[in-house]
């Protein structure tokens, strides 16, 4: 954790100068594939049919390009930043709370979108996203986006969806007559402080929070106090999707913030699970495939980025994860996604999601905010009971 804190602090020290980043020269032309490409990715993002043969967007790519794909699964954005700082990888599927850190730390390189024909098909809402575009320079290509939903056990809630995040933040008796204490989870990542801030935006408006990622000292303290109280309820701080699934199946967990990925897998397994968008809103992620500054296999990496933007891959990946594709054409004609899948997964709710972004000291909604390196150290303290 010490090295992680150092890497976070070092990268964040550069963030106030993010708009002054002098872009390195992107690749001018594609060459022959190097035979391999290594990717740091979220669970479920790079599938080769091992879990379900219908979901495979790796095998065909390897056959067509000769580029063998290897994947390192990361459970949090901080882990992704740490892995990219260590090096040895070509690509990363970075969320908005990691992408600017990677740019500021010069761990990723600019992308020549002219070498990626599929970029023109990307949703216009994403083509110049501020989480991966600095000074008009693109540092990657969009992959998937979506919400952090409230997942719940339908038996515990008597088939009536909870309407508020209160069920995970404050002790209460659930519809099954039992307390929520010891039956809920929270995300094991410092960015989760924003979920607490979002809850406070609705329930303590006197704090004046306008952006859950931009908190002054008083607002930040209130969020930490809420999280310290929540700790008494939490059975586990989750970061591994498969362990969370097991906890819902076997350990009596009945409510938690989660990804649609876990919801989909458990519903496919006929578990009594559903998800909802509570009244306070949801945080979410818009993920970008970014190229390491010292990538060993840049040609195969560019080939993968182009492949990742095909309508077929976008639709299949979004269907598997329960996400929204970055290419709108994927919303029609995909057997796995179906023509209603994009609407179900939130295509029309883009403006309602508070997307992850890296908290910085020089913020826009007030004069000064608590920077991310403090979020990291303080959230470790919360989990540790401090």
């Amino acid at each position: 954790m010490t090295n992680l804190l150092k890497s976070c602090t070092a990268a964040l020290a550069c963030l106030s100068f993010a708009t002054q980043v002098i872009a390195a020269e992107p690749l001018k032309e594609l060459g022959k594939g190097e035979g391999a490409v290594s990717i740091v990715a979220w669970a479920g993002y790079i599938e080769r049919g091992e879990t379900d043969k219908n979901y495979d967007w790796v095998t065909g790519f390897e056959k067509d390009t000769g580029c063998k794909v290897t994947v390192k699964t990361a459970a949090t954005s901080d882990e992704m930043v740490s892995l990219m700082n260590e090096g040895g990888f070509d690509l990363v599927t970075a969320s908005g709370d990691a992408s600017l850190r990677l740019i500021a730390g010069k761990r990723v390189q600019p992308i020549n979108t002219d070498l990626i024909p599929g970029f023109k098909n990307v949703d216009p809402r994403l083509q110049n996203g501020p989480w991966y575009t600095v000074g008009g320079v693109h540092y990657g290509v969009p992959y998937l986006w979506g919400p952090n939903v409230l997942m719940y056990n339908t038996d515990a809630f008597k088939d009536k969806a909870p309407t508020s995040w209160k069920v995970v933040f404050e002790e209460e008796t659930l519809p099954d007559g039992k307390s929520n204490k010891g039956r809920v989870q929270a995300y094991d990542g410092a960015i989760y402080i924003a979920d607490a801030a979002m809850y406070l935006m609705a329930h303590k408006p006197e704090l004046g929070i306008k952006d859950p990622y931009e908190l002054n000292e008083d607002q930040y303290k209130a969020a930490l106090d809420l999280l310290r109280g929540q700790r008494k309820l939490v059975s586990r701080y989750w970061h591994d999707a498969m362990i969370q699934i097991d906890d819902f199946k076997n350990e009596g967990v009945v409510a938690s913030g989660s990804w649609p990925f876990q919801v989909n897998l458990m519903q496919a397994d006929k578990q009594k699970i559903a998800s909802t968008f509570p009244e306070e809103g949801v945080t979410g992620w818009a993920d970008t495939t970014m190229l390491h500054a010292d990538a060993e296999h840049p040609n195969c990496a560019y080939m993968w980025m182009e492949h990742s933007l095909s309508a077929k891959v976008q639709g299949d990946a979004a269907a598997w994860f329960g996400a929204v594709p970055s290419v709108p054409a994927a919303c029609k004609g995909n057997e796995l996604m179906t023509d209603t899948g994009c609407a179900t997964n939130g295509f029309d709710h883009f403006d309602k999601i508070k997307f992850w972004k890296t908290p910085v000291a020089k913020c826009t909604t007030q004069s000064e905010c608590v920077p991310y390196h403090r979020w990291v150290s303080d959230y470790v303290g919360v989990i540790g009971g401090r």
Side-chain angles (χ1 to χ4, degrees):
M1 181 56 71
T2 301
N3 290 335
L4 177 57
L5 289 175
K6 287 180 179 177
S7 68
C8 289
T9 303
L12 286 161
C14 306
L15 271 180
S16 60
F17 304 104
T19 57
Q20 302 174 30
V21 171
I22 299 175
E25 285 295 314
L27 205 65
K28 296 293 186 185
E29 60 182 10
L30 280 182
K32 184 180 179 181
E34 302 89 353
V37 61
S38 58
I39 308 172
V40 177
W42 294 106
Y45 263 26
I46 314 294
E47 292 290 313
R48 59 165 69 247
E50 293 172 330
T51 306
D52 185 325
K53 62 180 177 59
N54 293 311
Y55 295 89
D56 180 359
W57 46 95
V58 172
T59 304
F61 171 80
E62 291 178 332
K63 182 178 180 181
D64 292 343
T65 66
C67 301
K68 180 173 175 54
V69 177
T70 56
V71 180
K72 169 67 176 177
T73 300
T76 68
S77 288
D78 290 342
E79 185 181 355
M80 286 187 171
V81 172
S82 182
L83 288 168
M84 291 295 278
N85 283 340
E86 291 172 13
F89 301 97
D90 298 305
L91 296 168
V92 61
T93 59
S95 294
D97 59 328
S99 47
L100 285 182
R101 280 187 277 161
L102 293 170
I103 295 169
K106 298 183 178 176
R107 291 294 81 208
V108 292
Q109 60 180 278
I111 297 300
N112 182 351
T113 57
D114 289 340
L115 299 180
I116 305 173
F119 188 82
K120 67 180 181 297
N121 300 320
V122 168
D123 191 326
R125 298 176 295 184
L126 301 169
Q127 285 195 3
N128 296 291
W131 53 89
Y132 78 102
T133 308
V134 176
V137 178
H138 293 88
Y139 285 84
V141 298
Y143 191 43
L144 301 174
W145 62 272
N148 295 315
V149 296
L150 174 55
M151 180 168 68
Y152 64 95
N153 178 287
T154 54
D155 276 354
F157 287 87
K158 301 297 183 183
D159 293 319
K160 185 177 181 181
T163 59
S164 171
W165 286 106
K166 183 180 179 182
V167 297
V168 299
F169 281 121
E170 300 182 36
E171 186 170 4
E172 65 175 50
T173 300
L174 300 181
D176 65 358
K178 302 175 185 177
S179 170
N180 60 344
K181 188 172 184 179
R183 304 170 72 200
V184 301
Q185 292 186 339
Y187 185 56
D188 181 16
I191 203 65
Y192 186 69
I193 294 174
D195 288 70
M198 180 183 67
Y199 180 76
L200 292 173
M201 285 175 70
H203 296 277
K204 289 195 174 181
E206 65 272 17
L207 288 169
I209 299 173
K210 296 182 176 63
D211 183 326
Y213 304 97
E214 298 188 358
L215 307 176
N216 64 29
E217 292 291 346
D218 289 342
Q219 295 163 346
Y220 182 70
K221 180 181 182 300
L224 290 182
D225 286 345
L226 178 63
L227 292 166
R228 290 188 182 104
Q230 182 195 45
R231 186 183 181 278
K232 300 170 185 176
L233 310 177
V234 170
S235 62
R236 188 198 299 274
Y237 289 88
W238 75 274
H239 60 259
D240 185 306
M242 304 315 290
I243 290 177
Q244 186 183 53
I245 287 173
D246 185 68
D247 287 343
F248 267 77
K249 286 183 177 180
N250 303 311
E251 300 300 328
V253 176
V254 299
S256 177
S258 188
W259 301 326
F261 175 65
Q262 289 95 298
V263 178
N264 286 353
L265 282 182
M266 280 194 280
Q267 288 180 340
D269 194 32
K270 296 184 169 40
Q271 299 294 312
K272 295 179 178 180
I273 293 295
S275 65
T276 187
F277 278 44
E279 61 193 12
E280 298 90 356
V282 297
T283 57
W285 29 271
D287 295 345
T288 307
T289 305
M290 310 182 86
L291 178 62
H292 197 286
D294 302 315
E296 186 180 350
H297 312 106
N299 292 303
C300 280
Y302 264 81
M303 293 175 192
W304 176 266
M305 286 188 283
E306 170 64 15
H307 175 68
S308 75
L309 293 178
S310 73
K312 172 63 173 168
V313 171
Q314 283 278 306
D316 290 359
W320 176 248
F321 199 84
V324 183
S326 292
V327 175
C331 293
K332 298 293 181 184
N334 184 290
E335 183 179 349
L336 300 174
M337 189 68 175
T338 76
D339 287 355
T340 61
C342 283
T344 299
N345 293 352
F347 185 89
D348 297 321
H349 298 312
F350 185 87
D351 294 330
K352 298 178 182 178
I353 298 172
K354 297 173 175 64
F355 287 101
W356 283 351
K357 65 180 180 180
T358 303
V360 295
K362 292 186 178 180
C363 47
T364 59
T365 58
Q366 48 200 327
S367 58
E368 190 169 348
C369 295
V370 177
Y372 187 67
H373 69 88
R374 280 185 54 198
W375 287 45
V376 174
S377 57
D378 290 336
Y379 196 61
V380 170
V382 167
I383 293 175
R386 301 191 301 277

